[in-house]
Amino acid sequence: MAKVKFMETALRDAHQSLIATRMTTEEMLPIAEKLDKVGYYALEVWGGATFDSCLRFLNEDPWERLRELRKVFKNTKLQMLLRGQNILGYKHYPDDVVEEFVKKAIENGIDIVRIFDALNDLRNLETSIKAVKKYGGHAQGAISYTVSPVHNNKYYVNLARDMVQMGVDSICIKDMSGILLPYVAYDLVKDLKVAVEVPIEVHSHFTSGIANLSYLKAIEAGADIIDTAISPLGNGTSQPATEPMIAALEGTEYYPDIDFDLLLEVSEYFKGLRDKYMKAGLLDPKVLNVDVNTLKYQVPGGMLSNLVSQLKAQGKEELYDEVLKEIPKVREELGFPPLVTPMSQMVGTTALFNVITGERYKMVPTETKNYVKGLYGRPPKPISDEIRKKIIGDDEVFEGRPADMLEPQLDNYRNEIREYIEQDEDVLSYALFPQVAIPFFKQRLAAKYKIETDLLDQENQTHPV
């Protein structure tokens, strides 16, 4: 048995889970040097919703954030989360965009790319895995963990074997809802350790209150790495807190090579930040509670808060319990997709429409229709003809790899924003989030030339860059 390694999520998933990804680069840099010396295996600093949030809410260049962090982190690997063919967006992108994105992420400082697909459709991971290997990164294949009649240990072991065949360097059990039970975790890790020879990492959320127990059983079964969050940003809908997990291993062979005193200094820093977020109203105390409904409905914490805000907007908050009960029904009828982005949004919104309209599948989001048409990949279980007809009528279902339908787009994107380009990476920012990238580019130009952004809109003029 080896010492367990820790991957710290404070700079990505922890603040994404608790404060809607609002931590700024300016708040990260003062503690970066200490974080680098603690002894973590890796730090998750990028990907997920951080890219969108930087541009949309923080007026930051996500690429610049990555470069700034890379300068400081000399000892620790930097990790990101990639949604396979969706990159960091909510739809499929052409292969040329995926490859260029991976190339630039690695060039700018990423060591480990965790790649997942919401449906566990491995065809949606092919391009990303090849690109990570091509440009010298560590490709981690992530299993989107869920529970259903079609998802069991045998299913996950086969997935892991196929991922290793595709060239991944490690496997992550990605439990986004916090529903991986302790003894199930033990058995699954045991089975994976027999089936594949690459390291096994376990990622969970504390939403249902059991993830730390599942981590302990996973470690006993041979898990190599666990994902935790420094305690001021831990627990709740975030990951289990780092310090208690380390303390729980004291006196065992699993105890990590981590400077615990330095870790306490890191914790003090983040306590100050947490207090600031509380005062600003960014951190809702509700997200720190244990929600046992998660075990019944398998709904991730972020999805629950989205449902509440959607119902509030409609003035239908009293329908919350009804929508919650509708979610598992919709999920079953849509072939038991794991409830992770973008499938969680599709299932949740479809269930919401079913309840609000009073007629099931009378009103269906476009994304759900596209999913049923096969444009996101293969459902874990085939969708019945009855449900398919209700949702898309007689429209054809595409059986191939969804990205095969997409033409290369990188050159088109480059031409569309040529007057704004200051770095190659700008093309990728625009490709992923055109509606927020353009205002960001305009502000950047305005600051550079000390002019008002509305003048750029009025004159539509080109500036030398």
Side-chain angles (χ1 to χ4, degrees):
M1 287 294 172
K3 295 176 177 185
V4 71
K5 295 171 181 171
F6 278 66
M7 199 279 279
E8 173 63 56
T9 68
L11 304 188
R12 204 286 295 178
D13 201 358
H15 72 107
Q16 180 171 324
S17 297
L18 296 182
I19 58 162
T21 334
R22 295 297 201 277
M23 195 189 297
T24 65
T25 307
E26 199 180 333
E27 289 169 331
M28 296 175 183
L29 289 173
I31 198 63
E33 201 173 321
K34 282 183 180 174
L35 277 169
D36 188 40
K37 290 175 179 169
V38 163
Y40 288 115
Y41 163 71
L43 281 145
E44 190 183 44
V45 299
W46 215 59
T50 58
F51 198 97
D52 182 6
S53 193
C54 274
L55 291 168
R56 192 182 300 269
F57 302 115
L58 306 176
N59 194 31
E60 284 190 23
D61 180 357
W63 300 99
E64 187 57 27
R65 169 180 292 187
L66 178 54
R67 289 190 287 265
E68 287 295 312
L69 291 171
R70 181 75 276 175
K71 280 181 204 165
V72 184
F73 289 106
K74 307 276 199 298
N75 308 301
T76 317
K77 293 183 177 77
L78 297 186
Q79 184 165 321
M80 74 166 291
L81 180 68
L82 190 81
R83 299 178 186 137
Q85 208 71 32
N86 290 2
I87 311 181
L88 303 176
Y90 308 100
K91 65 175 188 179
H92 277 31
Y93 293 90
D95 289 338
D96 65 331
V97 180
V98 175
E99 179 168 340
E100 182 69 6
F101 188 92
V102 168
K103 177 187 174 187
K104 288 297 176 186
I106 291 170
E107 271 181 20
N108 281 279
I110 290 295
D111 301 296
I112 303 166
V113 184
R114 175 177 292 172
I115 310 163
F116 79 96
D117 177 65
L119 298 172
N120 289 315
D121 186 337
L122 299 184
R123 299 172 303 171
N124 294 333
L125 305 183
E126 286 171 13
T127 304
S128 310
I129 292 169
K130 279 180 189 165
V132 174
K133 301 301 291 175
K134 180 177 176 180
Y135 296 107
H138 173 118
Q140 183 175 84
I143 292 165
S144 295
Y145 180 82
T146 188
V147 177
S148 85
V150 294
H151 294 90
N152 52 37
N153 284 13
K154 187 180 176 186
Y155 170 92
Y156 293 128
V157 165
N158 287 336
L159 260 184
R161 279 200 185 108
D162 289 344
M163 285 178 177
V164 170
Q165 287 274 306
M166 292 167 78
V168 302
D169 302 292
S170 60
I171 295 285
C172 172
I173 303 165
K174 178 176 162 54
D175 170 30
M176 51 281 167
S177 302
I179 56 173
L180 177 65
L181 298 169
Y183 288 95
V184 176
Y186 182 89
D187 290 341
L188 179 52
V189 171
K190 271 278 187 214
D191 290 349
L192 288 171
K193 293 298 284 185
V194 169
V196 297
E197 292 184 0
V198 299
I200 304 297
E201 185 158 353
V202 186
H203 172 94
S204 189
H205 290 251
F206 200 72
T207 320
S208 67
I210 55 165
N212 55 351
L213 302 174
S214 300
Y215 278 5
L216 272 179
K217 294 306 291 182
I219 291 165
E220 287 174 3
D224 301 277
I225 311 155
I226 57 170
D227 294 3
T228 59
I230 198 79
S231 59
L233 294 177
N235 299 332
T237 52
S238 178
Q239 280 69 53
T242 305
E243 307 94 308
M245 270 316 307
I246 292 171
L249 299 173
E250 193 167 346
T252 72
E253 65 229 278
Y254 311 115
Y255 195 78
D257 286 325
I258 280 182
D259 184 336
F260 202 78
D261 290 333
L262 188 56
L263 195 64
L264 295 180
E265 291 178 35
V266 169
S267 185
E268 280 302 313
Y269 177 81
F270 281 105
K271 273 181 196 167
L273 272 189
R274 184 187 59 186
D275 292 345
K276 177 179 160 184
Y277 300 141
M278 283 272 198
K279 281 176 192 160
L282 273 175
L283 180 55
D284 185 337
K286 280 183 192 168
V287 299
L288 298 173
N289 295 338
V290 165
D291 188 348
V292 289
N293 274 326
T294 306
L295 295 172
K296 184 174 180 182
Y297 300 114
Q298 298 194 40
V299 178
M303 186 176 165
L304 284 174
S305 53
N306 278 347
L307 282 178
V308 171
S309 59
Q310 283 178 301
L311 284 166
K312 271 184 186 170
Q314 300 277 341
K316 305 270 188 184
E317 290 165 81
E318 73 280 1
L319 296 176
Y320 178 71
D321 287 336
E322 216 177 312
V323 174
L324 214 51
K325 286 171 188 162
E326 177 69 5
I327 286 169
K329 293 177 196 168
V330 171
R331 180 172 174 253
E332 180 174 354
E333 289 165 348
L334 294 183
F336 294 108
L339 293 180
V340 65
T341 302
M343 292 314 306
S344 49
Q345 288 86 340
M346 285 184 218
V347 171
T349 308
T350 306
L352 185 85
F353 285 175
N354 284 358
V355 171
I356 285 177
T357 61
E359 188 180 331
R360 304 186 79 241
Y361 303 112
K362 179 185 180 182
M363 213 167 108
V364 180
T366 306
E367 292 80 6
T368 305
K369 288 180 181 176
N370 287 339
Y371 162 67
V372 175
K373 287 177 187 174
L375 303 186
Y376 282 88
R378 194 183 289 122
K381 184 184 178 188
I383 296 167
S384 73
D385 289 343
E386 181 199 352
I387 296 296
R388 180 177 52 76
K389 280 191 173 166
K390 272 188 182 180
I391 294 174
I392 61 167
D394 294 324
D395 287 0
E396 201 178 326
V397 175
F398 181 69
E399 300 288 351
R401 184 181 79 107
D404 286 343
M405 301 174 75
L406 305 173
E407 295 291 327
Q409 286 294 330
L410 210 51
D411 289 340
N412 294 343
Y413 291 138
R414 196 172 280 116
N415 287 332
E416 284 170 20
I417 61 154
R418 59 186 180 278
E419 71 264 37
Y420 295 121
I421 294 175
E422 293 189 9
Q423 56 179 355
D424 291 344
E425 291 82 357
D426 289 341
V427 179
L428 294 161
S429 301
Y430 172 72
L432 264 59
F433 301 106
Q435 289 86 2
V436 291
I438 291 291
F440 174 79
F441 296 153
K442 284 181 177 175
Q443 280 196 328
R444 187 175 64 184
L445 260 182
K448 189 174 180 180
Y449 293 98
K450 298 183 173 58
I451 55 173
E452 299 296 325
T453 50
D454 56 356
L455 288 177
L456 290 173
D457 291 329
Q458 286 167 20
E459 298 173 31
N460 194 24
Q461 55 195 352
T462 301
H463 294 273
V465 291

